[in-house]
Amino acid sequence: MQKLFEKNLKFFYENIPSYYKLITSIKKRNFQIKNDNLYHNGNPVYPNSITIDSKTISTNPLKNPLWEKSFFINPDFWDEKEFYATGKVINSFMSKEKNYAFESDFLPTTILFGLLSGKHLQNLVEKYYFQSLFIYEPNPEFFAISLYFVDYEKLYTKLDKRLFLWIGGEIDYFAIEKFFYERVVTSSFLNIYYKAYEHPLINDAIAKFSNIQASKLRGWGTYEDEMKGIKKHKKNINKYPILEEKRKINAPICVIANGKSLEDSIEFIKKNRDSIILVSVGTAIKPLLKHDIQPDFHIEQERIDILPDVLKDTLPFFNGYFLGASVVDEKVFKMAKKPLMFIREAFTLEDCYKPLIGSSPIVGNAGFAFAANFTDEIYLCGMDLGFKIGQKKHASGSFYDDRDDTAKSGIKIKGNFDEYVYTDSLFLSSKDKIEKMIEMFNLKVYNLSKGAYIKGAQPLKNKNLPKIDKEKVISQMLKAFKTKKYPPCNVDTKPLIKALKEAFKLKISNQKELTGAVDFIEDLVKEYAKIDKKTFTLLKGSIFHILINFYALSFSKDPKEMQETISENLDVFSK
């Protein structure tokens, strides 16, 4: 045991110095190793012994009741009317029979919450090949103890980039996202995890994992979604002045979103409406108009077909400038009295234009990015990006009034005024983007919202601002918009489709090779973004959906026939 400990110390000293420093900085020992057990205040931690209980834990995790198991996809037939290309490919190899069988030396995505001695980890490493392995140990002392039982050099050598180790403190949400992003597809099939002991930080980590796992597939999109945006873009482009330049004005801008706390900011907005440029986003327009507040600009960027119906009772009564992403339904632009256009970030054809940097993932980000394009002083109202369990997420008097908008669960984070609030993965991503923009552009941001704390933004409850010449300021802003004719922007999917057809010919004889093949194809798609970002954005979601269904079904049937069928049908994306 002592030799292994010393070997591990040397390994971390040479390869991960931060963990070496963490281990050697532990001065007080609360646990002792003796008689094949861990003892705390004289009491054994393991019911039987380290050897016996670790063997029990590590025996056949896929059928072991001590392990939790979560399937994140149930392969099924797709609606080919809506998903005319993606659905055709997936349905060509789909099967209703899903009797998953796992080889005796293979484990899917595996997560260990807590190590204790770590002996069960060593047992697993000696027997199994992992799709990927995440280890979270909030107590550095248990990590130090595990150096007596786990050969970390062997662990890292065997798993390489498929291993993620987080020791000490609260785990970062984006670290979990990064773990899953490394192998997006194969980590989206089946996850198994073992919880070594009770601890608030472990429970917090499990909640964060659950939230990310639940939202993973939702964010992929499809070829059909992207094509919908492209078609709408082509109808709208060259018809309206488009945001082309970055211009600075000598005036603050207030970005108004539709979080529940918008209700509490109405008086601030009314009081300062002649002192600040008002920019509303998304569903905030309806409650603002009900309070007789006319924003100077209103922004929409969703390509959804129902948007004209959502806005038909509000947009015609809005007198300010409507700023729509090029992918917004053409009927919405025609409704607006003063239509303007911008190119949203992460749109398939963005490279052909000057996109509004920072405008994804949600319309609140588009509002913030628009404000940052013109000023260094920004006020946020209703930009909650968080909520309280049991309460509505959005302001009253809006689109959500007659919908189930009550928050039922979420991720606990620091609040702007409250000690904590809850949020979800989309809001967290939005918050992260805003925080990065604040730091990148050295913005002075004041947050009146009663939601999530935004790093770099100063919490503010009220303020009286000096009056500005709004007409002059708005005229300066309008100079950033240009009327011009853009040449056609097209996408050629054929080279990537050709490469994918070749990739699907990879020989697969076991589940390790299956996982490697799917990971290879995923990497091929990701790498293609460096060659042709347009094609990558257009096809990525659908290819990932094809891959995850192929991967899952390969655990119940021979993948070879499916590989041939997929290759034969991929040309549907080249038409």
Side-chain angles (χ1 to χ4, degrees):
M1 286 174 60
Q2 186 61 34
K3 282 186 178 180
L4 180 58
F5 181 84
E6 291 171 1
K7 178 187 177 187
N8 280 321
L9 266 186
K10 182 182 177 185
F11 171 77
F12 284 113
Y13 177 79
E14 293 175 349
N15 296 279
I16 313 177
S18 60
Y19 282 161
Y20 173 83
K21 187 176 179 181
L22 179 67
I23 296 160
T24 54
S25 67
I26 299 172
K27 304 302 180 186
K28 184 182 177 183
R29 302 285 183 176
N30 297 304
F31 296 85
Q32 292 78 44
I33 307 170
K34 62 180 182 179
N35 302 326
D36 198 17
N37 213 320
L38 294 183
Y39 286 84
H40 180 61
N41 294 331
N43 299 311
V45 172
Y46 285 85
N48 299 296
S49 69
I50 291 174
T51 302
I52 292 172
D53 293 332
S54 296
K55 184 178 180 182
T56 302
I57 294 163
S58 59
T59 299
N60 199 355
L62 286 165
K63 294 184 178 179
N64 191 328
L66 296 174
W67 289 72
E68 294 289 333
K69 304 160 198 67
S70 298
F71 284 94
F72 296 102
I73 180 171
N74 179 29
D76 204 349
F77 290 90
W78 282 45
D79 178 2
E80 288 190 37
K81 186 176 180 182
E82 181 177 0
F83 301 102
Y84 49 88
T86 313
K88 180 180 179 182
V89 178
I90 290 175
N91 290 349
S92 70
F93 65 86
M94 185 51 59
S95 170
K96 288 189 175 181
E97 292 185 22
K98 304 174 193 75
N99 299 314
Y100 299 129
F102 296 89
E103 292 165 1
S104 60
D105 62 348
F106 177 84
L107 287 181
T109 307
T110 304
I111 306 154
L112 298 180
F113 294 108
L115 283 169
L116 292 181
S117 74
K119 178 65 176 174
H120 59 291
L121 169 59
Q122 182 64 25
N123 293 345
L124 293 169
V125 173
E126 289 174 356
K127 183 175 181 181
Y128 294 101
Y129 168 84
F130 297 83
Q131 180 278 330
S132 57
L133 174 63
F134 193 110
I135 301 166
Y136 171 54
E137 176 49 75
N139 187 343
E141 186 176 355
F142 285 139
F143 174 56
I145 289 169
S146 75
L147 269 63
Y148 289 99
F149 298 92
V150 180
D151 188 335
Y152 279 98
E153 183 176 10
K154 181 177 180 180
L155 177 65
Y156 273 90
T157 301
K158 184 172 183 177
L159 279 96
D160 192 21
K161 294 179 181 179
R162 290 174 287 112
L163 172 66
F164 198 104
L165 183 66
W166 184 288
I167 306 299
E170 180 181 347
I171 194 166
D172 182 68
Y173 182 91
F174 294 103
I176 303 171
E177 276 203 333
K178 185 177 184 297
F179 166 71
F180 281 119
Y181 182 77
E182 289 294 323
R183 291 288 172 252
V184 173
V185 177
T186 53
S187 67
S188 299
F189 170 43
L190 169 62
N191 289 186
I192 63 171
Y193 76 80
Y194 174 72
K195 181 179 177 182
Y197 60 94
E198 281 294 332
H199 193 283
L201 288 178
I202 286 180
N203 293 335
D204 173 71
I206 290 172
K208 287 174 179 173
F209 266 89
S210 297
N211 189 279
I212 291 172
Q213 290 162 334
S215 64
K216 279 181 65 183
L217 298 178
R218 190 177 64 214
W220 289 357
T222 63
Y223 168 83
E224 290 79 8
D225 291 335
E226 294 300 322
M227 284 303 298
K228 187 180 292 185
I230 290 173
K231 288 174 182 176
K232 289 178 178 177
H233 165 86
K234 288 185 174 180
K235 288 181 179 179
N236 294 323
I237 196 67
N238 297 330
K239 289 184 179 178
Y240 309 101
I242 192 164
L243 183 62
E244 277 275 317
E245 295 180 3
K246 190 177 181 76
R247 281 180 174 259
K248 285 300 175 185
I249 58 170
N250 187 25
I253 293 178
C254 180
V255 182
I256 308 165
N258 192 34
K260 190 179 189 313
S261 74
L262 172 58
E263 301 163 15
D264 301 313
S265 295
I266 293 296
E267 289 309 310
F268 168 84
I269 297 168
K270 281 185 174 181
K271 180 173 64 174
N272 289 291
R273 70 171 94 191
D274 296 325
S275 307
I276 198 166
I277 300 298
L278 301 179
V279 178
S280 62
V281 300
T283 51
I285 187 68
K286 191 172 182 179
L288 289 175
L289 293 181
K290 282 191 174 183
H291 285 282
D292 197 29
I293 297 170
Q294 284 277 350
D296 301 298
F297 293 88
H298 177 68
I299 299 177
E300 296 285 353
Q301 71 170 5
E302 301 303 327
R303 62 192 172 208
I304 53 175
D305 292 333
I306 65 166
L307 192 58
D309 286 333
V310 172
L311 293 171
K312 68 181 180 183
D313 296 327
T314 51
L315 197 55
F317 303 99
F318 168 57
N319 298 324
Y321 290 91
F322 170 75
L323 180 59
S326 65
V327 297
V328 165
D329 195 294
E330 61 181 319
K331 299 188 193 76
V332 175
F333 282 98
K334 291 175 181 177
M335 260 186 235
K337 293 176 181 177
K338 302 173 184 176
L340 300 169
M341 185 182 290
F342 73 101
I343 304 297
R344 66 172 293 178
E345 191 178 53
F347 168 50
T348 301
L349 305 181
E350 68 168 331
D351 281 1
C352 297
Y353 309 92
K354 293 181 180 178
L356 180 57
I357 301 301
S359 56
S360 64
I362 62 177
V363 71
N365 293 91
F368 189 86
F370 179 70
N373 194 70
F374 293 100
T375 185
D376 296 328
E377 184 179 348
I378 301 172
Y379 292 78
L380 303 177
C381 292
M383 189 79 80
D384 291 359
L385 302 178
F387 43 80
K388 293 183 178 179
I389 302 300
Q391 294 186 13
K392 277 184 162 286
K393 297 180 184 178
H394 296 88
S396 59
S398 74
F399 170 76
Y400 294 94
D401 278 3
D402 54 357
R403 285 163 174 78
D404 183 10
D405 185 42
T406 304
K408 297 177 178 63
S409 64
I411 305 161
K412 193 175 181 181
I413 58 168
K414 181 180 178 181
N416 192 40
F417 294 112
D418 296 298
E419 181 183 354
Y420 65 87
V421 294
Y422 290 86
T423 190
D424 59 30
S425 58
L426 190 58
F427 282 161
L428 264 183
S429 179
S430 171
K431 182 173 95 79
D432 181 60
K433 180 70 75 68
I434 290 173
E435 290 172 343
K436 285 176 179 173
M437 288 194 71
I438 291 173
E439 182 179 10
M440 185 185 305
F441 299 116
N442 194 27
L443 301 173
K444 200 188 307 179
V445 180
Y446 301 92
N447 189 6
L448 289 90
S449 314
K450 293 181 179 178
Y453 172 75
I454 297 174
K455 184 180 177 183
Q458 180 181 325
L460 178 72
K461 291 192 175 179
N462 203 356
K463 192 175 183 179
N464 292 316
L465 298 168
K467 294 223 174 2
I468 60 171
D469 186 341
K470 291 191 78 169
E471 188 175 334
K472 181 180 178 181
V473 171
I474 291 172
S475 69
Q476 291 173 341
M477 295 175 71
L478 293 177
K479 289 177 182 177
F481 292 84
K482 305 296 179 185
T483 301
K484 58 190 293 187
K485 293 292 181 183
Y486 287 93
C489 180
N490 300 308
V491 186
D492 181 10
T493 62
K494 290 184 178 66
L496 178 55
I497 294 301
K498 182 180 178 181
L500 288 169
K501 291 173 95 169
E502 287 299 312
F504 269 102
K505 294 177 182 178
L506 286 168
K507 182 183 177 184
I508 298 172
S509 56
N510 56 49
Q511 290 171 358
K512 178 180 178 180
E513 289 181 359
L514 167 68
T515 302
V518 172
D519 288 343
F520 172 80
I521 297 172
E522 177 187 319
D523 287 342
L524 170 66
V525 174
K526 288 178 179 175
E527 283 295 310
Y528 201 79
K530 299 174 184 176
I531 301 170
D532 183 351
K533 191 176 176 183
K534 297 195 296 291
T535 299
F536 165 77
T537 307
L538 179 60
L539 293 182
K540 178 196 70 174
S542 286
I543 298 304
F544 283 4
H545 281 296
I546 291 165
L547 280 174
I548 187 58
N549 280 278
F550 164 71
Y551 185 64
L553 287 173
S554 293
F555 286 90
S556 62
K557 57 188 289 191
D558 186 352
K560 186 176 180 181
E561 185 179 332
M562 290 191 289
Q563 288 174 268
E564 294 172 356
T565 303
I566 291 169
S567 292
E568 290 169 2
N569 283 277
L570 282 175
D571 284 327
V572 71
F573 294 112
S574 298
K575 295 175 181 177

